[in-house]
Amino acid sequence: MKTLLVWSIILFAVLWGILCTQMPPEAALCYAWVAIPLVLCIQPLIYYVWAPLVEACAPICFCGSEPAADPAPAEGEKGVKLTGVPVPPGDCLLVRDEAYTAGYTEFEDSRLRKGTQMLLSWRYWFMSWRCGLTLLTRFSNPADSTRTHEVNITSNDPDEYFSVIALEPGQRCYVTPSDIVAVSGGVNIRARWRLWLPAWCMGQVRAYVASGRGTVVVRAMGGITAGTLEPGQVTVRKLHSLICASQGVQLHVRRTETLIPYLLGKATLFDLRLQGHGSYCIRNTFSHATGLGRLLGF
C-alpha cells in the first residue's frame, strides 16, 4: 500500500504537469486527482478479481499424477537432532559436509570405505554448486559385504533439525536441494518445470524430484514439522515453507483470507494449500532464500 501511494503521488505530479500545458492549473488539478484513487484500486482488483482466477486453476503436481506407494518421514513429527542412516551392502551414502557426520558404526570385518565425491549431479551442476552439494563425503559399502552400517548425521548448530525420507522403487518425492544433507547412492534427483500460472504466482516454476531406492535426509533451521494428509484433508501453509512432499500431495495457491494485512504489505497475496493423500515436511521458521533461488526451486 505504501508503494502504491508513492507511485500514485508521482503519477499525480506528472499528470498535473502535463495537463498544465493544455489547460489552466486549477482545471488540471481536478483531473490529476483522479490518478490517486485509480492507482490505489489496483491492489483490491488483484485481490478480488485476479487472485480468485488463479485460485481456481488446476493444482501443481511436481511429482506427476501417477498413483504410487507413498514415502513417509522415518523420524518423529518435529525432526530430530541426531539421526542414523543405514548403508546396506552395495549402497553408498553421500553427505553434504563432513561437519554433518557425527560418526558411524563399524565391525572388525568392516569394509566400509570413506572418500570424497566432487559433484552430486553433472546434469544439474548449477543446482549442485548453488546448493552446496559439490564436495560430498562418500561412505561406500561393497556389494559383497555382510554388514549394514549406520552413519550418524547431526549438526553443531543447536537450531538445525533433520528428518529422513525413505524411498522405494516407484516412489517419488518433491524436495528442495538446498535442504538436502545426505542422500543414498540409489536415489536420483531430476528437475521438473511447471510454467503455468499457479507456479508463477507461487514463485516457483522449477522443482526437484527424488526417486529410486534409498533415503534422503533433509534439514531446517528451527525445527521440522512432518505430517500426513488423509484423503479429503487440507492444510494451509505459508509459501516457501515446504521442504518436501510425497507424490500424492497436490499443491494449490490460495488467496490470503485477510484483506487489510495484504493491503498494508504485512501478508502475501497467496498461501500454499496442500491436499491429497501423502506425507510432507515444512520448516518451522521462514526461509531466507533469494527470489531467484525460490523461482528455480532451490
Side-chain angles (χ1 to χ4, degrees):
M1 178 64 80
K2 293 180 181 179
T3 303
L4 287 179
L5 184 59
V6 171
W7 278 108
S8 65
I9 294 173
I10 294 174
L11 183 61
F12 161 76
V14 172
L15 186 61
W16 185 40
I18 295 174
L19 291 175
C20 283
T21 63
Q22 307 293 329
M23 61 184 67
E26 295 79 7
L29 185 63
C30 295
Y31 287 103
W33 276 115
V34 178
I36 294 180
L38 284 178
V39 174
L40 293 180
C41 284
I42 292 176
Q43 272 191 296
L45 286 174
I46 291 175
Y47 185 86
Y48 286 111
V49 178
W50 172 252
L53 294 176
V54 176
E55 193 175 21
C57 292
I60 305 169
C61 300
F62 284 129
C63 296
S65 58
E66 300 87 351
D70 212 28
E75 301 290 353
E77 292 184 353
K78 295 184 179 180
V80 294
K81 288 294 299 175
L82 174 68
T83 184
V85 184
V87 185
D91 200 0
C92 69
L93 181 70
L94 305 176
V95 183
R96 178 193 194 98
D97 194 313
E98 179 67 23
Y100 285 107
T101 304
Y104 48 92
T105 59
E106 275 194 342
F107 304 91
E108 290 185 357
D109 59 346
S110 174
R111 299 183 60 188
L112 185 68
R113 296 292 179 266
K114 182 179 177 182
T116 301
Q117 182 164 319
M118 291 298 297
L119 195 66
L120 174 68
S121 174
W122 289 105
R123 183 176 181 181
Y124 306 114
W125 62 269
F126 183 74
M127 177 271 291
S128 298
W129 170 77
R130 178 64 178 79
C131 298
L133 298 171
T134 53
L135 187 61
L136 305 171
T137 301
R138 181 186 181 97
F139 293 90
S140 302
N141 196 5
D144 58 352
S145 174
T146 59
R147 306 279 192 175
T148 295
H149 299 275
E150 185 176 86
V151 177
N152 295 321
I153 303 295
T154 189
S155 173
N156 55 12
D157 191 331
D159 293 327
E160 201 162 28
Y161 289 79
F162 305 95
S163 187
V164 179
I165 297 95
L167 289 170
E168 294 294 335
Q171 296 177 344
R172 285 174 288 183
C173 183
Y174 155 80
V175 61
T176 49
S178 58
D179 295 318
I180 295 176
V181 172
V183 60
S184 294
V187 174
N188 298 315
I189 299 177
R190 295 181 180 273
R192 295 207 172 189
W193 291 88
R194 294 293 184 267
L195 298 177
W196 54 75
L197 185 59
W200 282 103
C201 294
M202 179 182 165
Q204 183 176 352
V205 296
R206 191 184 195 189
Y208 292 87
V209 177
S211 62
R213 180 192 294 274
T215 55
V216 181
V217 183
V218 293
R219 63 169 184 176
M221 302 298 293
I224 297 174
T225 298
T228 301
L229 289 173
E230 300 297 332
Q233 184 180 0
V234 175
T235 181
V236 179
R237 302 292 179 178
K238 291 295 184 182
L239 289 176
H240 313 299
S241 64
L242 189 64
I243 300 174
C244 61
S246 58
Q247 185 172 338
V249 177
Q250 297 178 342
L251 311 181
H252 296 251
V253 285
R254 177 175 180 172
R255 187 187 67 180
T256 183
E257 298 170 343
T258 50
L259 173 63
I260 301 301
Y262 164 65
L263 293 179
L264 296 177
K266 298 183 180 295
T268 58
L269 177 60
F270 293 108
D271 291 325
L272 181 64
R273 183 171 179 258
L274 307 178
Q275 70 177 48
H277 177 53
S279 59
Y280 63 91
C281 290
I282 62 168
R283 64 186 85 251
N284 292 347
T285 57
F286 294 136
S287 170
H288 297 287
T290 62
L292 178 61
R294 288 172 176 171
L295 192 68
L296 296 180
F298 295 161

